[in-house]
Structures are given as structure tokens and as C-alpha cells.
Amino acid sequence: MKKLVGILFFMLLAGSVSNVQAAGFKDVSEEHYAYEAILWAEEYDIVNGFTDGTFKPNATITEQQLAKLLANFYELESPIEELDKQTPAANWSDDYYDQLASYSVPLNGYFDNRIRAATVKRGVVAQAIAHLASGKKDLNQSIQFLLDYYISSGQNPKYEDRNLQKFYGVANNITRAEVVTMLYRMDERNFYEISEDAQASHDNANQLALNTRAKNAQSQLDPSLQVSAPSTSAWEGIYTYYYKWGKGANDFNRRDAVITNATNKNFGISLTANDGKASGSVQGTATITSSNKALMNTSANGNRCVIEFERLSNNALKVTEIDCRAERNEGTNYSGTLKKQ
């Protein structure tokens, strides 16, 4: 029924206006590949835009934003309990994580607001969706489920039939448009009913505490996707730069950097760059070379990727790409000064 109403609404809208934007989103034109999916998701209150009237389809999505989308799509019920978090401050995503913990959905951020605010990896998205739609699955089974039902078509064609995880891009970030498109295809293929495994967790015949179900959900994630609670290192955090330089939907520049798992020697780094229609992302490990400088030479994919990092006194991060062309699209790079959020 969701799909039918969504298609009828889209046909009426498309028939009355040429080259229109998705309702309320000035940066999503009719030509955008995810136009129908975004229109559908907005119609059914699965997703919201930003206060400036944009959807930011090319922006990466955080785990807590993913949690909201999944909870809304499946209309999950709230448990009586609430999670006992390690970062106890109230967070807008608390209710969504309580719901997802009740259904034992594989995610990292149940107990830590900082993990929730970090960009989510495609592998985590695969396991979370597969669990809700089809039941408990390991990483490879989750990816195969998405491919078998054309919910995802993969990301790196050169690895097709050679390396399933690289073909899908498990360690890469995922955009808002990509996640909404997956959910739209789930609805098209009638995967909007909760799996028996997820429902059994919610029914909770064994009377497990909500925190226990959340920990069990975390343990379902592939070890390569599991994230530890961030340290108190001054390097760690989420850094962002955004500049809108014109009125067009693609007239903007954006940089996002997420630093995690920092020690006195190195830290994990995830970078995303958007320059209008051009975009790119990279993950890797940077070596700390002084109190405020660090250097990455190789990406997590093993490609040459030389990027310098400098922690500035005004709570900002200066990023200078030396050579990282193998890890991004032409027309953009990772350089910029980003403000800590």
C-alpha cells in the first residue's frame, strides 16, 4: 500500500510540474536518481530534511540518523525499559535506540552518544537491514541478501565475483540518498514486516534486560565493524565544513572528518568530501607525529593516500591532501579547515 500510494502521488506530481523538486527539498530535483525514494520517504514520515529546506542527499549519514530511519520504516514498538548508557546525557536518538535494542538490531552506538554521532559504515547498514528484514545473518550473508533482492547493487564493480565485501564497500561511508533508496527498494519488495528473529527478541520470552539485548546486538556485528567507545583524546571528534556558494542544488562544498580510536601514537580517520556533484570518501589510520600534527600515507583499501592533519587552537582541524586521487572522484579533494562539532 505504501508503494502504491507513493507511486500515484509521484505520477500526479510529475504530471503537473516539469523539473520539480521533491516536496520541501530544494536540493533534490526530478532528475536525481533517488528522487522517487526521497519523495516516498518524506510522504510516510520516514525521513526529514533540514531547517534550510534541503535534504542533502550526498551528505554522509550518522548511525543515529540511520537508527531513526530504521525505527520509522518498521514502525518499531518502544520497550518499557530504557538503555543505561555510558554517556548518560539525554540525546534525541534515545527512543530510537531503545526500540532497536528491543529488536536486537546490530549497531554500535547503543551506549555512547559519540559513537551514535559518527558516520555509519555500509557494512553496519547491511547487517542492520538484513536482521530486521530476514533475521540474524553474518556480514557476507547480509550483503548477499541485499544483492539477491536488488536492494543494493554494490559499489566497486571491479571486485564483482572476486571479493564480496570490497564489491559492496563494507568499510565505506553511506549517503542519505543511498540509505533512503535501500529502504524504498525494501518497500517495493515487500520487506516491511519484521523478521522472526527480531520479533522474538522484542517478545523477550527469556526476559532479558534491554542492556543485555543491546550488547547481544553489538556482538552480532562483524568484528571489523565493531567500534569501541572513543577515548578522551583531544584529537577525537567530528569535524565539519560546509559552504553554499550558489543557488543551485549542487552549488556547495562540504568536508566531514570523524576521528576515532585515538591513542598517543595514531587514530582512525574517516573523510568525506563533496564539491557539488563530485564526491569522495576515504578511511584509514593516521600516525601522530607531534602534539598537534598527524600523517596518513595509505588508505584502509591499501591505496596510496597522503593526507596531513593539524589540530588548531580554535577547536578546528586543518586537512591537507598531498595525493589521494585513488580514493576520491575527480573534481574534489579532502583539503580544508573543519570545525569540531
Side-chain angles (χ1 to χ4, degrees):
M1 179 59 70
K2 287 182 180 179
K3 179 177 68 174
L4 178 59
V5 175
I7 291 174
L8 289 174
F9 180 73
F10 167 71
M11 290 174 65
L12 288 172
L13 186 63
S16 60
V17 182
S18 176
N19 194 27
V20 296
Q21 297 159 342
F25 300 138
K26 59 187 180 183
D27 59 344
V28 183
S29 71
E30 188 176 297
E31 285 75 27
H32 194 281
Y33 79 89
Y35 173 77
E36 286 189 53
I38 295 170
L39 194 70
W40 162 85
E42 184 193 23
E43 174 72 7
Y44 288 98
D45 295 324
I46 294 170
V47 70
N48 302 113
F50 294 86
T51 55
D52 62 357
T54 64
F55 180 76
K56 296 182 174 57
N58 298 323
T60 54
I61 192 170
T62 64
E63 191 186 90
Q64 62 190 355
Q65 291 170 334
L66 172 68
K68 178 180 178 180
L69 294 181
L70 293 175
N72 286 346
F73 178 80
Y74 280 101
E75 299 177 346
L76 300 181
E77 297 177 355
S78 297
I80 298 175
E81 295 179 79
E82 295 179 355
L83 288 169
D84 182 16
K85 299 187 299 180
Q86 296 169 351
T87 50
N91 184 278
W92 65 264
S93 64
D94 284 342
D95 288 343
Y96 301 119
Y97 275 94
D98 290 346
Q99 293 168 9
L100 292 162
S102 179
Y103 291 87
S104 296
V105 179
L107 292 172
N108 278 303
Y110 285 112
F111 305 109
D112 197 296
N113 291 340
R114 296 164 295 179
I115 297 177
R116 295 180 181 188
T119 305
V120 70
K121 303 301 181 188
R122 287 175 57 86
V124 174
V125 176
Q127 287 199 252
I129 288 179
H131 173 82
L132 281 166
S134 185
K136 293 180 181 178
K137 297 183 183 299
D138 64 24
L139 179 56
N140 284 349
Q141 292 170 340
S142 298
I143 296 169
Q144 197 62 56
F145 167 77
L146 297 183
L147 297 176
D148 286 346
Y149 289 97
Y150 303 99
I151 296 164
S152 172
S153 56
Q155 196 173 55
N156 302 303
K158 66 180 180 180
Y159 292 111
E160 188 172 10
D161 300 325
R162 295 171 52 203
N163 187 310
L164 181 66
Q165 294 189 16
K166 287 186 177 181
F167 171 64
Y168 174 74
V170 294
N172 296 338
N173 296 331
I174 193 165
T175 68
R176 289 165 55 81
E178 288 171 340
V179 172
V180 169
T181 299
M182 283 186 178
L183 295 180
Y184 180 60
R185 291 172 179 170
M186 293 277 289
D187 187 67
E188 284 190 314
R189 290 148 181 77
N190 299 322
F191 282 111
Y192 42 73
E193 292 187 3
I194 296 169
S195 71
E196 292 183 2
D197 286 337
Q199 187 62 51
S201 175
H202 181 66
D203 293 341
N204 199 21
N206 296 326
Q207 297 184 335
L208 298 177
L210 190 63
N211 270 35
T212 300
R213 282 179 280 171
K215 290 176 181 177
N216 291 340
Q218 287 178 323
S219 68
Q220 289 182 50
L221 284 172
D222 189 83
S224 67
L225 298 171
Q226 294 179 18
V227 177
S228 303
S231 71
T232 56
S233 168
W235 281 100
E236 290 209 353
I238 301 171
Y239 302 81
T240 299
Y241 168 81
Y242 180 77
Y243 174 65
K244 181 71 173 173
W245 49 267
K247 296 182 179 180
N250 296 311
D251 297 344
F252 72 96
N253 303 101
R254 184 183 178 99
R255 301 288 183 274
D256 294 283
V258 180
I259 293 178
T260 58
N261 301 325
T263 67
N264 61 350
K265 295 181 179 180
N266 54 44
F267 55 76
I269 177 69
S270 174
L271 278 170
T272 303
N274 290 278
D275 286 331
K277 294 182 179 180
S279 63
S281 63
V282 65
Q283 293 81 41
T285 300
T287 300
I288 298 174
T289 56
S290 70
S291 61
N292 65 335
K293 292 186 178 182
L295 177 68
M296 182 176 80
N297 288 307
T298 307
S299 75
N301 291 328
N303 294 319
R304 172 179 168 80
C305 186
V306 182
I307 301 178
E308 296 177 346
F309 303 92
E310 182 178 1
R311 189 162 47 83
L312 304 178
S313 59
N314 60 345
N315 220 22
L317 180 71
K318 182 179 180 182
V319 180
T320 306
E321 176 188 330
I322 307 302
D323 179 12
C324 203
R325 288 170 292 179
E327 288 286 344
R328 60 173 171 82
N329 294 344
E330 290 296 327
T332 188
N333 62 59
Y334 299 117
S335 299
T337 299
L338 293 66
K339 189 70 176 179
K340 195 171 188 178
Q341 302 303 294

